Amino acid sequence: QEQLVESGGGLVQPGGSLRLSCVVSGFTLDMYAIGWLRQAPGKEREGVSCISSWGDTIKYVDSVKGRFTISRDGAKNTVFLQMNSLKFEDTGVYYCASLQDYTDYCGLTEREYDYWGQGTQVTVSS
């Protein structure tokens, strides 16, 4: 049974940092691409970042480039999202999701992903 569990969200001031973690079980990261997606209040869910099963392809939505960094630790079955220089508009529920893929691909589209975590709330507020 594939399972993803996010943690690390919280309340942070603008300019601050958070590191989100996504621990996966029931599968290994070398067979699945992992995406981070977020949903702000009143908005549709959007892809933020992703990393391929090979680990070679990494993508970011334009609004977070240079501020967010995705990485993974295969031994711990964990994918991280380091978020720096946080802005008010980064507020939302952050989800990690998995896509079974044996190629060096990952995507930022919600419909591509099969399994989802429960989400972790990130609030950027002064």
Side-chain angles (χ1 to χ4, degrees):
Q1 181 72 24
E2 291 83 356
Q3 188 173 14
L4 302 91
V5 179
E6 305 96 335
S7 63
L11 174 64
V12 63
Q13 292 185 339
S17 298
L18 285 173
R19 188 174 83 153
L20 305 185
S21 298
C22 172
V23 179
V24 309
S25 59
F27 64 95
T28 56
L29 294 177
D30 60 353
M31 296 171 63
Y32 284 74
I34 300 295
W36 283 99
L37 301 94
R38 67 186 178 189
Q39 188 163 23
K43 295 187 177 181
E44 294 185 354
R45 193 148 44 184
E46 68 165 347
V48 175
S49 181
C50 66
I51 184 167
S52 66
S53 62
W54 293 11
D56 291 332
T57 294
I58 288 176
K59 298 178 181 177
Y60 300 97
V61 68
D62 286 346
S63 60
V64 308
K65 286 179 180 177
R67 300 189 297 121
F68 290 13
T69 303
I70 191 170
S71 63
R72 68 181 192 181
D73 184 334
K76 296 182 179 179
N77 275 346
T78 302
V79 177
F80 304 98
L81 186 67
Q82 178 68 43
M83 306 188 296
N84 299 329
S85 302
L86 284 161
K87 303 177 180 181
F88 292 120
E89 52 264 40
D90 294 318
T91 294
V93 180
Y94 283 69
Y95 302 88
C96 63
S98 65
L99 163 65
Q100 188 171 17
D101 192 280
Y102 301 104
T103 69
D104 197 20
Y105 171 82
C106 72
L108 295 178
T109 305
E110 177 182 5
R111 64 178 183 272
E112 299 181 83
Y113 290 92
D114 301 313
Y115 295 96
W116 294 75
Q118 82 289 349
T120 185
Q121 176 71 45
V122 172
T123 303
V124 184
S125 175
S126 54

